[in-house]
Amino acid sequence: MDELAIGLIGAGRIGKLHGDNIARLVPGARLEAIAEIRLTGEHRLWAGKNGVKKVYEDPAEIWKDRDIDAVFICSSTETHAEFIIQAARAGKHIFCEKPVHTDVGRIREALDETAKAGVKLQVGFVRRFDHNHRKVRDTVASGRLGKPHIIKITSRDPEGPPLSYIAASGGIFMDMTIHDFDMARYLAGSEVSEVSAWGAVMIDKNYERYGDVDTAAVMLKFENGALGIIDNSRAARYGYDQRTEVHCDRGCVRVENDLVDTSVTSTADGVVCERPTWFFLERYNDAFVAEARAFVDAVRNGADVPVDGKDGLAAVYIAMAAGKSLRENRPVKLAGIM
Amino acid sequence: MDELAIGLIGAGRIGKLHGDNIARLVPGARLEAIAEIRLTGEHRLWAGKNGVKKVYEDPAEIWKDRDIDAVFICSSTETHAEFIIQAARAGKHIFCEKPVHTDVGRIREALDETAKAGVKLQVGFVRRFDHNHRKVRDTVASGRLGKPHIIKITSRDPEGPPLSYIAASGGIFMDMTIHDFDMARYLAGSEVSEVSAWGAVMIDKNYERYGDVDTAAVMLKFENGALGIIDNSRAARYGYDQRTEVHCDRGCVRVENDLVDTSVTSTADGVVCERPTWFFLERYNDAFVAEARAFVDAVRNGADVPVDGKDGLAAVYIAMAAGKSLRENRPVKLAGIM
Amino acid sequence: MDELAIGLIGAGRIGKLHGDNIARLVPGARLEAIAEIRLTGEHRLWAGKNGVKKVYEDPAEIWKDRDIDAVFICSSTETHAEFIIQAARAGKHIFCEKPVHTDVGRIREALDETAKAGVKLQVGFVRRFDHNHRKVRDTVASGRLGKPHIIKITSRDPEGPPLSYIAASGGIFMDMTIHDFDMARYLAGSEVSEVSAWGAVMIDKNYERYGDVDTAAVMLKFENGALGIIDNSRAARYGYDQRTEVHCDRGCVRVENDLVDTSVTSTADGVVCERPTWFFLERYNDAFVAEARAFVDAVRNGADVPVDGKDGLAAVYIAMAAGKSLRENRPVKLAGIM
Amino acid sequence: MDELAIGLIGAGRIGKLHGDNIARLVPGARLEAIAEIRLTGEHRLWAGKNGVKKVYEDPAEIWKDRDIDAVFICSSTETHAEFIIQAARAGKHIFCEKPVHTDVGRIREALDETAKAGVKLQVGFVRRFDHNHRKVRDTVASGRLGKPHIIKITSRDPEGPPLSYIAASGGIFMDMTIHDFDMARYLAGSEVSEVSAWGAVMIDKNYERYGDVDTAAVMLKFENGALGIIDNSRAARYGYDQRTEVHCDRGCVRVENDLVDTSVTSTADGVVCERPTWFFLERYNDAFVAEARAFVDAVRNGADVPVDGKDGLAAVYIAMAAGKSLRENRPVKLAGIM
């Protein structure tokens, strides 16, 4: 295949991020069209800067454009399944932001359609492309530390989203921890079999109104016998805290946060270092590029995508189990809800 | 009070450690006598080097010695309660190694006797005296980070004990995690209200024979609303991994391991640093001295001991709840077992 | 000024790097033309990918192109002065790679021409745009540590250039340490008044043939009274070692290298971390972008460039003094050679 | 030899430190006597606590005491040579604090006497016994990094001594840098052949009155071809900055400071770590014990002492060369002054 022509569905913050990357930093791909339901002049301006001439309100324009090889679905979560289905039927390869959808029935339908159509579907678990977490995975997967015993994930946002967002988020596990559930599977190299989740409202009492929590601790059991531990916060204040750590037979591998810079300032008052990079746009900036490149490479080379629809579905199941565990204050086996 | 005359009960590894410290490094105290049931010439030699002339097999010799002000109970766990009771009746102040005992009934009896006798009882949770963990506690307790949200404890031994020890250990939670349960209470500044524990046998299948595990993950709920996470291993291989981390309203405080040295060797093959200090004798060497000094100071000044019998009992209750949680695969409330 | 149209002179490794950055990552600029004396099909292909239609062998084509506002001079060092003069006469703003030239007479001519023409000249001391070194500078310049006492620069290449390069390099001080001389001025906020340089041939005896060294230590005196220390190696083996450190009245600020990732792998055999990023393309990747942006912003806004021709000249003088100091084994005052 | 009976000459701060260590922490040795010219009741009290009964004003009492095997000379520098000579004549083995003396003629006399008497003389370059610096030395000496290219020493005191001390100190090179000169020889495994020293008065103008400096940078050449760099400050403010770094054929080894604790506190305001341990009493606490043990072991086993009189003399020569280099602003060859 020659250069991959990509249509972008949804040009909000994350859509623009992917669009900019495709236009500038992903060899073998070009940004061919964008579709944005709430289209404004600002979107047109942005498209123009990236040399994109096809600017639509209706994604259907993209499905029917024969020039377009693949789509990036960056619209709101509840539209994901439907757009995957339509893109698949139109024969487009698909990159879809996480989560695939919050309704597993709809996800299954979407996966069936992509299978039927023979198109690729990659899910946007961008952290797999981070240099740090990837190093942890590669070290574990190499087998040189032996089998994993405990997978630990610290995942804390610097500041919470607006409350309006919380209301529609599907809860902390489906919205935020879902990244960690995927990371846990990725690092452990094994499926999760059981979840035990606790939560607390420590930051903003309003979370209670939505039956949600802003602080969480989750234990996982994996099919290979390993245990997992995740801790989350909606507002860590000091920056985006994203650390992973895997303990194995012969030792452990762990990664620290990337920092704004490596400076150390020492005075009689103390020693001051820099904070972690602020949030996901800063921390996973390079990972977003690597993710898009991996998708484009897989499509062009007819290879498997590195994160597929089954990965997307698996993380949703774990999030559902975690929600149930929190509500019922007991461990929940994945087998019981799949 | 003038110099505190101390009788040591039990001169095994930990007893000798305390004895050496008292003899050399604890101002205001002297090692007056030792009692060791399995007394050998080697014990006499060791006592001689420390200038101790009273060397007994029977601890009763210590109870009746009017010169002795206080005892260090370093004999095997099942003797602790009895020796506390006898020491208390003899009017001796008591330092007792952890755990106080594994039977809460016996612990309560022992605490009653010390109360009746008006003697002080300090329990050997030595990690409270470590410079690193203490800094975490002091930072949290200062209130400048606001209230705690999540307390995280990584606690991994470099190598497992002999299997014979495992058989009599009372299980990982009573033997090893009990330190972490005390640490959790210490850092959170709050009582544990509920425990959810998972374990796995990843290192040595023999643990299964004793109904024990060698790898564990534990979640805690605290009365102040905070959550806790502990992970344990009987054999981390790379050294003694002892890290604590507390996330609060306005940020977090955490500590890394002490290392053998701070060297960094960089070649084309990689960058190599030193490992954590090997085990508790190395890591908590200074903490053992600080612990003994704190006891001696409290007794001499008529002040409260920094870790008392109620602290010893509280940790045992949490360990019991953790065991029950592991066996029944469900969260266990402390209220239900106290 | 609208979008800045840039002509690139010289499309070798560093020229392509700047060209790619201008084409993709520098807002407000576009790559309009390239001129490369040894033009090949590969250069045309590369230009095409960046949407550049004007591809020349002769830089003169660029001087006379009325569409072009500014040039990036990335040709070999001995052409720099001449091209600056021609670009200035043509009214183009100029970004010139370091060193400006090795002949101070020619540099002075070039600076005179840019002054006469009223065009801006920025010199490519890219390290000033590195997030780490910039943080050191900003901390010192803020004055909150008081006046600087000692400026320390560790600057070690991972591997030496080919010997053919050494022959024409002008020697380690003019070729390599010149970056550190600029960094020293930048960090100290003061001019160098005296240099004392020692060198050694530790890596490759061939350096002796060229009267050059592969290992160097340099002391600097600054007009503000501070002292400076630089150490250099042509082959550090473990990666690109680029650290700066400034000690002041009230404390110090220093930076460590950026690492490939933050992983730490711990086993019984030791603790292994990652190496520094390999060489300047990796380490100063973002700094090259920031440097080009700063030039484009300065030209478009009519502001001063952050590193000008006088900075370029000052570093050359220090390099000359260092060479003289090495040859004569004595401290050399800058005043004596300017 | 049985237990080594030690007489302490001079019971000021450093003398008491050694005395306490010998009394408590050095197996195979006992503190038998002390002599202190300015003897007070406080010295008697301190001696009593350490079980020492022989407390003298006149060191001669120690020379003639047949029970005493060895002496620790901790009196003021100008008395060192004389006391070494007297101790040697009395057949006592000798540990002498640094510097041996400031007059090389007197040092040579003293060394001659110890040689004649066949007694051991160890000089108190305590930093050789620090776990960090020793690791650097051992790594270099192992040869696995190849031959050394550059030795770097950062050595900065947290606060300056009283001015009265400065007046009699012999200047920064003889008083403070002498430790670094010894460290340089120790790390390089080679003799210094040439010195180039610069200094500045940045902290306290009073240093000028004594022809002294409070800030210094020194370059060294070694006989094996390596270069050395030292930087010093009398008042680093943030703690005792003691770092060493050696670059070799195949890579480098370096050490960071020991910190008060390993805590990292992260808030929106920044990330705060702990400072280096405050000064030499804290940083080299364990090294002082190791140093005394090494002396006692060498004497008892008839082995060579790890730092001998020639080491003491060599450091003094380098300090003299550095002083000359500073005054004359030119490199000074050691050969010219020995």
Side-chain angles (χ1 to χ4, degrees):
Chain A
M1 183 182 295
D2 221 34
E3 205 177 47
L4 201 70
I6 291 175
L8 176 72
I9 318 291
R13 185 169 61 167
I14 198 78
K16 275 185 193 143
L17 174 72
H18 284 300
D20 282 336
N21 286 345
I22 295 163
R24 299 174 199 175
L25 298 168
V26 180
R30 70 173 185 277
L31 189 58
E32 177 74 16
I34 73 162
E36 166 56 55
I37 334 183
R38 295 192 198 77
L39 194 68
T40 66
E42 191 273 331
H43 291 114
R44 290 186 186 282
L45 215 70
W46 171 79
K49 269 193 201 154
N50 277 308
V52 177
K53 295 190 184 91
K54 301 171 179 173
V55 179
Y56 309 119
E57 280 193 283
D58 187 353
E61 301 292 326
I62 296 216
W63 316 143
K64 62 192 184 200
D65 185 334
R66 312 286 296 270
D67 292 345
I68 291 176
D69 304 302
V71 297
F72 269 60
I73 299 177
C74 302
S75 49
S76 59
T77 301
E78 75 277 8
T79 66
H80 285 182
E82 184 58 28
F83 288 170
I84 290 171
I85 290 167
Q86 294 185 15
R89 287 180 181 162
K92 314 299 190 199
H93 297 290
I94 302 156
F95 174 94
C96 181
E97 260 305 322
K98 55 95 334 205
V100 186
H101 204 271
T102 55
D103 179 319
V104 293
R106 293 294 280 153
I107 299 175
R108 288 188 177 285
E109 271 182 72
L111 300 201
D112 287 349
E113 286 290 339
T114 57
K116 215 183 301 172
V119 297
K120 293 180 191 307
L121 168 62
Q122 180 172 327
V123 177
F125 285 125
V126 66
R127 298 182 195 179
R128 291 193 183 206
F129 300 89
D130 174 68
H131 61 150
N132 292 327
H133 305 314
R134 180 176 281 263
K135 175 68 167 288
V136 175
R137 203 292 288 263
D138 289 351
T139 304
V140 175
S142 76
R144 62 197 174 80
L145 297 184
K147 67 177 189 305
H149 295 182
I150 291 199
I151 286 87
K152 292 166 69 177
I153 299 172
T154 298
S155 177
R156 312 174 70 83
D157 287 354
E159 55 185 357
L163 279 175
S164 58
Y165 178 92
I166 292 302
S169 72
I172 194 170
F173 297 130
M174 192 62 79
D175 177 59
M176 181 179 161
T177 325
I178 197 161
H179 271 299
D180 308 309
F181 294 140
D182 181 66
M183 182 56 63
R185 293 177 64 243
Y186 175 67
L187 298 179
S190 178
E191 294 300 327
V192 169
S193 59
E194 193 170 356
V195 182
S196 185
W198 276 356
V201 176
M202 305 298 282
I203 298 161
D204 185 341
K205 286 289 167 203
N206 285 300
Y207 278 83
E208 288 176 358
R209 279 205 270 152
Y210 304 106
D212 202 358
V213 296
D214 52 31
T215 302
V218 182
M219 295 196 299
L220 304 171
K221 274 183 196 163
F222 295 90
E223 290 180 358
N224 64 7
L227 301 177
I229 299 178
I230 299 168
D231 72 284
N232 292 139
S233 171
R234 284 286 192 185
R237 309 299 180 194
Y238 50 86
Y240 196 38
D241 197 347
Q242 296 277 304
R243 290 173 280 147
T244 52
E245 178 170 328
V246 181
H247 295 271
C248 301
D249 286 340
R250 286 190 283 282
C252 85
V253 52
R254 62 189 187 110
V255 287
E256 288 295 314
N257 290 304
D258 286 337
L259 306 182
V260 169
D261 60 51
T262 64
S263 66
V264 179
T265 304
S266 305
T267 68
D269 294 330
V271 175
V272 178
C273 307
E274 255 301 347
R275 281 163 297 183
T277 50
W278 180 243
F279 210 166
F280 67 97
L281 291 180
E282 292 83 12
R283 165 66 186 262
Y284 294 124
N285 187 40
D286 291 346
F288 279 111
V289 175
E291 173 185 62
R293 286 180 178 170
F295 173 71
V296 167
D297 287 351
V299 172
R300 293 180 76 205
N301 301 325
D304 287 345
V305 292
V307 203
D308 64 16
K310 284 189 295 291
D311 291 313
L313 181 58
V316 170
Y317 274 124
I318 305 172
M320 289 168 60
K324 192 176 175 71
S325 173
L326 176 66
R327 288 188 302 275
E328 303 182 3
N329 194 25
R330 64 174 185 87
V332 171
K333 290 195 162 54
L334 266 284
I337 64 164
M338 286 172 85
Chain B
M1 186 182 294
D2 221 33
E3 206 177 44
L4 202 69
I6 292 176
L8 176 72
I9 318 289
R13 183 169 63 168
I14 198 78
K16 276 186 191 139
L17 174 72
H18 284 300
D20 281 337
N21 288 344
I22 294 163
R24 299 175 199 175
L25 298 168
V26 180
R30 70 171 185 277
L31 189 58
E32 177 75 16
I34 73 162
E36 165 56 55
I37 334 184
R38 297 191 197 79
L39 194 69
T40 67
E42 192 273 330
H43 291 113
R44 290 186 187 281
L45 215 69
W46 171 78
K49 269 193 201 153
N50 278 308
V52 177
K53 294 190 185 93
K54 302 173 179 172
V55 180
Y56 309 119
E57 279 193 284
D58 186 354
E61 301 291 327
I62 297 217
W63 316 142
K64 61 191 183 204
D65 185 334
R66 312 286 296 271
D67 292 344
I68 291 176
D69 304 302
V71 296
F72 269 59
I73 300 177
C74 301
S75 49
S76 58
T77 301
E78 75 275 9
T79 65
H80 285 182
E82 184 58 27
F83 288 169
I84 291 171
I85 290 167
Q86 293 185 16
R89 287 180 182 162
K92 314 298 190 200
H93 297 290
I94 302 157
F95 175 94
C96 181
E97 260 304 322
K98 54 88 353 201
V100 185
H101 204 272
T102 55
D103 180 318
V104 293
R106 293 292 281 152
I107 299 174
R108 286 187 178 286
E109 271 181 73
L111 301 201
D112 286 349
E113 286 292 338
T114 58
K116 215 183 299 172
V119 298
K120 292 181 191 303
L121 169 62
Q122 180 171 327
V123 178
F125 286 126
V126 65
R127 298 183 194 177
R128 291 194 183 205
F129 300 89
D130 175 69
H131 62 150
N132 292 327
H133 306 314
R134 181 176 281 263
K135 175 68 167 285
V136 174
R137 204 288 292 261
D138 290 351
T139 304
V140 174
S142 76
R144 62 196 175 80
L145 298 184
K147 66 177 190 304
H149 296 182
I150 291 196
I151 286 88
K152 293 166 70 177
I153 299 172
T154 298
S155 177
R156 312 173 71 83
D157 287 353
E159 55 185 358
L163 279 175
S164 57
Y165 178 92
I166 293 302
S169 73
I172 192 169
F173 297 130
M174 191 62 78
D175 176 59
M176 179 179 162
T177 324
I178 198 162
H179 272 299
D180 308 310
F181 294 141
D182 181 66
M183 182 56 63
R185 293 176 65 243
Y186 176 66
L187 298 179
S190 178
E191 295 300 327
V192 169
S193 58
E194 193 170 357
V195 183
S196 185
W198 277 355
V201 176
M202 305 298 283
I203 297 161
D204 186 341
K205 286 289 167 203
N206 285 302
Y207 279 82
E208 288 176 357
R209 279 205 270 152
Y210 304 105
D212 203 357
V213 295
D214 52 31
T215 302
V218 181
M219 294 196 299
L220 303 172
K221 274 184 196 164
F222 295 90
E223 290 179 358
N224 65 6
L227 302 177
I229 298 177
I230 298 168
D231 72 285
N232 292 140
S233 171
R234 283 284 192 185
R237 309 299 182 194
Y238 49 87
Y240 196 38
D241 197 347
Q242 295 277 304
R243 290 174 279 147
T244 52
E245 178 171 327
V246 180
H247 295 271
C248 300
D249 286 340
R250 286 191 283 283
C252 84
V253 54
R254 63 190 186 107
V255 286
E256 288 295 315
N257 289 304
D258 285 337
L259 306 181
V260 170
D261 60 53
T262 65
S263 66
V264 179
T265 305
S266 304
T267 69
D269 294 330
V271 175
V272 178
C273 308
E274 254 302 344
R275 281 164 295 182
T277 49
W278 179 244
F279 210 165
F280 68 97
L281 291 180
E282 292 83 11
R283 166 64 186 265
Y284 293 124
N285 186 42
D286 290 346
F288 279 110
V289 175
E291 174 185 60
R293 286 180 179 170
F295 172 71
V296 167
D297 286 350
V299 172
R300 294 180 77 207
N301 302 325
D304 287 345
V305 292
V307 204
D308 64 16
K310 285 191 295 291
D311 292 313
L313 181 60
V316 170
Y317 274 124
I318 306 172
M320 289 169 60
K324 192 176 174 73
S325 173
L326 176 67
R327 288 189 301 275
E328 304 182 3
N329 194 25
R330 64 172 187 87
V332 171
K333 290 194 162 55
L334 266 285
I337 63 163
M338 285 171 88
Chain C
M1 185 182 293
D2 222 31
E3 204 177 46
L4 201 70
I6 292 175
L8 176 72
I9 318 290
R13 186 170 62 168
I14 198 76
K16 275 185 192 143
L17 174 73
H18 284 300
D20 282 336
N21 287 345
I22 294 163
R24 298 173 200 176
L25 297 168
V26 180
R30 70 172 186 277
L31 189 57
E32 177 75 16
I34 72 163
E36 165 57 55
I37 332 184
R38 296 191 197 78
L39 195 68
T40 66
E42 191 273 332
H43 290 113
R44 290 186 186 283
L45 214 69
W46 172 78
K49 269 194 202 153
N50 277 309
V52 176
K53 297 197 183 83
K54 302 172 178 171
V55 179
Y56 309 119
E57 278 193 285
D58 186 354
E61 300 292 325
I62 295 213
W63 316 142
K64 62 191 182 201
D65 186 335
R66 313 286 297 269
D67 292 344
I68 290 176
D69 304 302
V71 297
F72 268 60
I73 299 176
C74 302
S75 48
S76 58
T77 299
E78 75 277 8
T79 66
H80 284 182
E82 184 58 28
F83 288 170
I84 291 171
I85 290 167
Q86 293 184 17
R89 288 178 182 164
K92 313 299 188 199
H93 297 290
I94 302 156
F95 175 95
C96 181
E97 260 305 322
K98 54 92 343 201
V100 184
H101 204 272
T102 55
D103 180 318
V104 294
R106 293 292 281 151
I107 299 175
R108 288 186 175 287
E109 273 182 72
L111 299 202
D112 286 350
E113 286 292 337
T114 57
K116 212 183 301 172
V119 297
K120 293 181 191 304
L121 168 62
Q122 181 172 326
V123 178
F125 286 125
V126 66
R127 297 181 194 180
R128 291 194 183 206
F129 300 89
D130 175 69
H131 61 151
N132 292 327
H133 305 313
R134 180 175 281 264
K135 175 68 167 287
V136 175
R137 203 291 290 259
D138 290 351
T139 303
V140 175
S142 76
R144 60 195 175 82
L145 297 184
K147 66 177 189 305
H149 296 183
I150 292 198
I151 286 86
K152 293 166 69 177
I153 299 173
T154 298
S155 176
R156 311 173 70 83
D157 287 354
E159 55 185 357
L163 279 175
S164 58
Y165 179 93
I166 292 304
S169 72
I172 194 169
F173 297 131
M174 193 60 80
D175 176 59
M176 180 177 161
T177 324
I178 196 162
H179 272 299
D180 308 310
F181 294 140
D182 181 65
M183 182 56 64
R185 293 176 64 244
Y186 176 65
L187 298 180
S190 178
E191 295 300 326
V192 169
S193 59
E194 192 170 358
V195 182
S196 185
W198 277 355
V201 176
M202 306 297 283
I203 298 161
D204 185 340
K205 286 288 167 204
N206 284 301
Y207 278 83
E208 288 175 358
R209 278 204 272 152
Y210 304 105
D212 203 357
V213 295
D214 53 30
T215 302
V218 182
M219 295 195 298
L220 304 172
K221 274 184 197 163
F222 295 90
E223 290 180 358
N224 64 7
L227 302 177
I229 299 177
I230 299 168
D231 72 285
N232 291 141
S233 172
R234 282 286 192 183
R237 309 297 181 195
Y238 50 87
Y240 195 39
D241 197 348
Q242 295 280 303
R243 290 173 280 147
T244 51
E245 179 171 328
V246 181
H247 294 271
C248 301
D249 286 339
R250 286 190 284 282
C252 84
V253 53
R254 62 187 187 112
V255 287
E256 288 295 314
N257 290 303
D258 286 337
L259 306 181
V260 170
D261 60 52
T262 63
S263 66
V264 179
T265 304
S266 305
T267 68
D269 294 332
V271 174
V272 179
C273 307
E274 255 300 347
R275 281 165 296 185
T277 50
W278 180 245
F279 210 165
F280 69 95
L281 292 180
E282 292 83 11
R283 166 65 187 261
Y284 293 123
N285 187 40
D286 291 346
F288 279 112
V289 175
E291 172 185 63
R293 286 180 178 169
F295 173 71
V296 168
D297 287 351
V299 173
R300 293 180 76 207
N301 302 324
D304 287 345
V305 292
V307 203
D308 64 18
K310 283 189 296 292
D311 292 312
L313 181 59
V316 169
Y317 274 124
I318 305 172
M320 289 168 61
K324 193 177 175 70
S325 173
L326 176 66
R327 288 188 303 274
E328 305 181 2
N329 194 26
R330 63 172 186 88
V332 171
K333 289 196 163 52
L334 266 284
I337 64 165
M338 285 172 86
Chain D
M1 185 182 296
D2 222 31
E3 207 178 45
L4 201 70
I6 292 175
L8 177 72
I9 317 291
R13 186 169 62 167
I14 199 77
K16 276 187 193 141
L17 175 72
H18 285 300
D20 281 336
N21 288 344
I22 295 163
R24 300 175 198 174
L25 298 167
V26 180
R30 70 172 185 278
L31 189 57
E32 177 74 15
I34 73 164
E36 165 56 54
I37 333 184
R38 296 191 197 78
L39 194 68
T40 67
E42 192 272 330
H43 291 114
R44 292 187 185 281
L45 214 69
W46 172 79
K49 269 195 202 153
N50 279 308
V52 177
K53 294 191 186 88
K54 302 172 179 172
V55 179
Y56 310 119
E57 279 194 285
D58 186 354
E61 301 291 327
I62 297 216
W63 317 142
K64 61 191 181 203
D65 185 333
R66 313 285 298 269
D67 292 342
I68 291 176
D69 304 302
V71 296
F72 269 60
I73 299 176
C74 302
S75 49
S76 59
T77 300
E78 74 276 8
T79 65
H80 285 182
E82 184 58 27
F83 288 169
I84 290 171
I85 290 166
Q86 294 185 16
R89 288 179 181 163
K92 314 297 188 197
H93 297 289
I94 302 156
F95 175 95
C96 181
E97 260 305 321
K98 54 95 338 204
V100 185
H101 204 273
T102 56
D103 180 318
V104 294
R106 293 292 280 152
I107 299 176
R108 287 187 177 285
E109 271 181 73
L111 300 201
D112 286 350
E113 286 292 338
T114 57
K116 215 183 300 170
V119 297
K120 294 183 191 302
L121 168 62
Q122 180 171 329
V123 177
F125 287 127
V126 65
R127 298 182 194 179
R128 291 193 182 206
F129 300 89
D130 175 68
H131 61 150
N132 293 326
H133 306 314
R134 179 175 282 262
K135 175 69 167 285
V136 174
R137 203 291 289 262
D138 289 350
T139 303
V140 174
S142 77
R144 61 196 175 80
L145 298 184
K147 66 178 188 303
H149 296 183
I150 291 197
I151 286 88
K152 292 166 69 177
I153 298 173
T154 298
S155 177
R156 311 174 70 81
D157 287 353
E159 55 185 356
L163 279 176
S164 58
Y165 179 93
I166 292 304
S169 72
I172 193 168
F173 298 131
M174 192 61 79
D175 176 58
M176 181 178 160
T177 324
I178 197 162
H179 272 298
D180 308 311
F181 294 140
D182 181 66
M183 181 57 61
R185 293 177 64 244
Y186 175 66
L187 297 180
S190 178
E191 294 300 328
V192 168
S193 58
E194 193 170 358
V195 182
S196 184
W198 275 355
V201 176
M202 304 298 282
I203 297 161
D204 185 341
K205 286 288 166 204
N206 285 301
Y207 279 83
E208 289 175 356
R209 279 205 271 151
Y210 304 105
D212 202 356
V213 296
D214 52 31
T215 302
V218 181
M219 295 196 299
L220 304 172
K221 274 184 197 165
F222 295 90
E223 291 180 357
N224 64 6
L227 302 177
I229 299 177
I230 298 168
D231 73 285
N232 292 140
S233 172
R234 282 285 191 185
R237 308 297 182 195
Y238 50 87
Y240 195 39
D241 197 347
Q242 295 279 305
R243 290 173 280 145
T244 51
E245 180 172 326
V246 181
H247 295 272
C248 301
D249 286 340
R250 286 190 284 283
C252 84
V253 53
R254 62 189 186 110
V255 287
E256 289 294 315
N257 289 304
D258 287 336
L259 306 182
V260 171
D261 59 53
T262 65
S263 66
V264 180
T265 304
S266 305
T267 68
D269 294 331
V271 174
V272 179
C273 307
E274 254 302 345
R275 281 163 295 183
T277 49
W278 181 244
F279 210 166
F280 68 96
L281 291 180
E282 293 82 12
R283 166 64 186 264
Y284 293 124
N285 187 41
D286 291 347
F288 279 111
V289 175
E291 173 185 61
R293 286 179 178 171
F295 172 71
V296 168
D297 287 351
V299 172
R300 294 180 76 207
N301 302 324
D304 286 346
V305 292
V307 203
D308 64 17
K310 285 190 295 294
D311 293 312
L313 181 60
V316 170
Y317 274 125
I318 306 172
M320 289 168 61
K324 191 176 175 71
S325 173
L326 176 68
R327 287 188 303 274
E328 304 181 3
N329 193 25
R330 63 171 186 89
V332 172
K333 289 194 165 53
L334 266 283
I337 63 164
M338 286 170 88

